[in-house]
Amino acid sequence: MATIFWPLQSNIIRQNSVSNTFGMVRKYASGAPKPHQGWDFSATVQTPVFSIAEGSVAFVRDKGDYGLQLCLEFDFDGTTLYAFYAHLYKVHVAEGDSIQANQLVAASGESGNAQGMAVADQHLHFEIRTKAYAGLGLADRLSPAHVFGRCPLHQVIAG
Ligand SMILES: [Zn+2]
């Protein structure tokens, strides 16, 4: 079994709201279901962020709604998966670097479309992907619960 760590020292879903978990959990103005591609972990700006597994850096980039992003490739019981971190303030590693499990890799932030949020809404957007460069909606993504075994909604899980 792969050893998986949590990305923060204190892991809890933003606002304890199911709309900040994975799936068709949000709504468009029309009322139609809208996807959220990962989990939003509560994290004030500049909270330390850790690698969830041993692996390597697939990419670092600053682009679009996700802002400053870090994508880590890792092996999960024989399958290659990607841990994707967004809205970062700073990334401490570079593309191609080898990464240890639970290594300090970034600081959370409010880049991209997370700019200017109230403190209670500041967060780390975190996805589990099956492709480094995932498609639209929920394509090429899994619920992070697939890797972590449980969701920290209504509970705080220490990293
Ligand atoms: Zn999010």
Side-chain angles (χ1 to χ4, degrees), residues 5 38 46 51 79 84 90 103 117:
F5 292 81
Q46 297 195 50
S51 55
T79 302
F84 175 80
K90 191 167 187 192
Q103 181 179 327
M117 286 189 164

Side-chain angles (χ1 to χ4, degrees), residues 69-141:
Q69 310 155 36
L70 167 64
C71 187
L72 301 179
E73 179 179 329
F74 66 103
D75 176 82
F76 186 72
D77 297 339
T79 302
T80 298
L81 294 177
Y82 300 86
F84 175 80
Y85 306 74
H87 308 314
L88 299 171
Y89 171 79
K90 191 167 187 192
V91 174
H92 306 308
V93 294
E95 196 166 313
D97 283 359
S98 292
I99 299 295
Q100 299 304 306
N102 208 26
Q103 181 179 327
L104 177 67
V105 289
S108 71
E110 53 177 354
S111 56
N113 66 0
Q115 202 74 235
M117 286 189 164
V119 170
D121 276 307
Q122 291 178 356
H123 64 280
L124 168 70
H125 174 91
F126 179 88
E127 300 180 7
I128 294 293
R129 296 179 165 187
T130 56
K131 287 183 184 172
Y133 295 95
L136 296 175
L138 301 180
D140 309 315
R141 294 162 176 93

